[in-house]
């Protein structure tokens, strides 16, 4: 049985240390898994913003999108986008999922197939407005976070602190018309060590992002949502190549992996543009590029 508890003595600000020390706003207890799963520490890129994060027996799925090439997502206001790629694996081939992380409620981050087939009791962490809509769809273990609010997940000897980071889906006038978006800081810890992962979400680089490295230094891995998504072919609402490099410099992770690129026809800034910008900025040694389906394995920080 999965238990979600609201911790009344919540502290909304994140710590300025390698691991959080304040009480989380919410706690989530998941039954321990099999010992064989404990040694896996990896990121598998499925496509779009969908990745599988494995750490010490915990498996986290981000922004699940399992539509295939030629299928369409609805983005609101009558706008649609056609998928240009296939996911690396089909939804039915997923391993058991402990937690789903949704940066915002657009169909390229939580599509109709997922809405229909995902187990309604699967824990989902997202923004507060998205949480309300997911509950209306019948999902029963949804945690909605405001900026800097957090959830602590425990599974056996592994813990994960998920903290909502600032995010804005485009310039202010346009962002007001789009779903609220959040980034996430994931602080994993187990006997093997600890590891900090920043997931940008569909944000642009703006003033509030500056606060992230002040509160959360020492990021081990950053997953950057790129693509340079354009609404009506005019307004950019996700990071393009130049914004991606700006975010890379600001967050200063040990390693960055770009995701959310080339998968939909509204993505107008190809991965090749980011690769060139990274090379020009002298940051090529900081970035790992994964093809759909590829896995990058890492060691917890204390085990280096």
């Amino acid at each position: 049985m999965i238990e979600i508890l609201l911790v009344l003595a919540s502290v909304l600000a994140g710590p300025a240390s390698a691991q959080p020390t304040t009480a989380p706003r919410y706690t989530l207890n998941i039954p321990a898994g099999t010992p064989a799963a404990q040694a896996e520490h990896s990121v598998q890129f499925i496509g779009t913003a969908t990745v599988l994060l494995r750490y010490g027996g915990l498996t986290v799925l981000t922004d699940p999108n399992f539509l295939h090439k030629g299928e369409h997502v609805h983005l609101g206001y009558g706008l649609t986008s056609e998928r240009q790629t296939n996911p690396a694996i089909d939804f039915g081939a997923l391993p058991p999922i402990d937690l789903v992380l949704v940066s915002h409620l657009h169909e390229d981050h939580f599509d109709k197939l997922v809405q229909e087939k995902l187990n309604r009791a699967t824990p989902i962490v997202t923004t507060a407005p998205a949480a309300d809509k997911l509950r209306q769809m019948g999902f029963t273990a949804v945690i909605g976070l405001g900026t800097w609010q957090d959830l602590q997940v425990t599974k056996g000897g592994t813990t994960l602190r998920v903290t909502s980071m600032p995010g804005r889906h485009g310039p202010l006038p346009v962002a007001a018309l789009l779903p609220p978006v959040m980034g996430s800081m994931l602080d994993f810890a187990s006997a093997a060590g600890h590891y900090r992962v920043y997931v940008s979400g569909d944000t642009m680089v703006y003033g509030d992002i500056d606060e992230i490295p002040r509160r959360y230094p020492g990021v081990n891995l950053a997953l950057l949502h790129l693509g340079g998504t354009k609404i009506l072919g005019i307004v950019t609402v996700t990071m393009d190549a130049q914004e991606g490099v700006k975010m890379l410099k600001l967050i200063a992770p040990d390693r960055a992996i770009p995701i959310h690129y080339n998968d939909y026809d509204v993505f107008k800034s190809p991965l090749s543009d980011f690769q060139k910008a990274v090379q020009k900025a002298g940051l090529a040694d900081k970035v790992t590029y994964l093809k759909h389906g590829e896995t990058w394995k890492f060691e917890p920080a204390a085990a280096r």
Side-chain angles (χ1 to χ4, degrees):
M1 176 185 242
I2 292 173
E3 239 185 296
I4 302 175
L5 298 174
L6 171 63
V7 178
L8 295 178
S10 63
V11 179
L12 304 187
S17 60
Q19 287 297 301
T21 56
T22 54
R25 181 174 178 82
Y26 298 93
T27 62
L28 170 64
N29 298 313
I30 298 173
T34 60
Q38 302 301 311
E40 180 78 9
H41 304 101
S42 65
V43 179
Q44 184 181 14
F45 180 41
I46 307 302
T48 321
T50 309
V51 304
L52 280 169
L53 274 163
R54 295 178 174 94
Y55 190 100
L58 259 176
T59 301
V60 179
L61 176 67
T62 71
D63 294 301
N65 179 210
F66 288 89
L67 298 185
H68 284 71
K69 185 176 180 178
E71 295 185 288
H72 290 77
V73 292
H74 295 272
L75 303 175
Y77 304 101
L79 300 175
T80 63
S81 183
E82 181 178 329
R83 183 148 189 177
Q84 309 294 301
T85 63
N86 288 317
I89 59 176
D90 287 331
F91 181 84
L94 284 172
I97 302 298
D98 294 307
L99 186 72
V100 175
L101 183 65
V102 179
S103 67
H104 66 296
L105 210 53
H106 263 156
E107 283 189 11
D108 60 325
H109 292 257
F110 199 86
D111 63 42
K112 287 184 177 179
L113 182 151
V114 175
Q115 293 174 29
E116 176 187 344
K117 294 190 174 183
L118 184 65
N119 187 310
R120 290 307 195 253
T122 304
I124 303 173
V125 182
T126 187
T127 65
D132 289 340
K133 291 183 179 180
L134 289 169
R135 291 187 193 104
Q136 291 169 16
M137 294 178 192
F139 293 98
T140 59
V142 185
I143 303 99
L145 299 179
T147 303
W148 308 122
Q149 290 182 344
D150 56 0
L151 159 76
Q152 180 153 309
V153 182
T154 302
K155 184 179 181 183
T158 299
T159 62
L160 164 63
R161 182 78 69 102
V162 181
T163 308
S164 174
M165 298 288 107
R168 195 175 75 195
H169 208 346
L172 267 177
V174 175
L177 301 174
L178 297 173
V181 63
M182 73 178 196
S184 300
M185 195 67 73
L186 310 181
D187 281 295
F188 293 95
S190 68
H194 58 82
Y195 204 77
R196 173 167 282 174
V197 180
Y198 171 61
V199 184
S200 72
D202 276 16
T203 188
M204 305 292 285
V205 182
Y206 70 110
D208 290 0
I209 300 293
D210 293 347
E211 186 66 17
I212 295 174
R214 287 196 284 267
R215 297 190 186 214
Y216 290 84
V219 171
N220 299 108
L221 173 66
L223 301 177
L224 303 179
H225 291 208
L226 302 178
T229 308
K230 287 187 181 291
I231 297 295
L232 299 175
I234 301 171
V235 182
T236 303
V237 296
T238 64
M239 291 185 287
D240 59 13
Q242 298 305 320
E243 287 262 309
V245 168
K246 190 186 300 184
M247 181 71 86
L248 183 54
K249 291 178 177 178
L250 183 64
I251 300 299
D254 297 335
R255 177 68 40 193
I257 297 175
I259 59 176
H260 194 270
Y261 60 82
N262 298 2
D263 292 285
Y264 279 91
D265 59 8
V266 291
F267 295 172
K268 301 301 183 182
S269 179
L271 180 63
S272 57
D273 285 357
F274 180 69
Q275 291 172 309
K276 292 173 186 174
V278 165
Q279 191 73 35
K280 185 177 179 180
L283 296 171
D285 62 333
K286 295 287 188 180
V287 182
T288 293
Y289 299 96
L290 297 181
K291 296 178 181 177
H292 290 46
E294 287 187 333
T295 297
W296 184 72
K297 295 184 178 181
F298 58 86
E299 291 295 327
R304 289 179 177 179

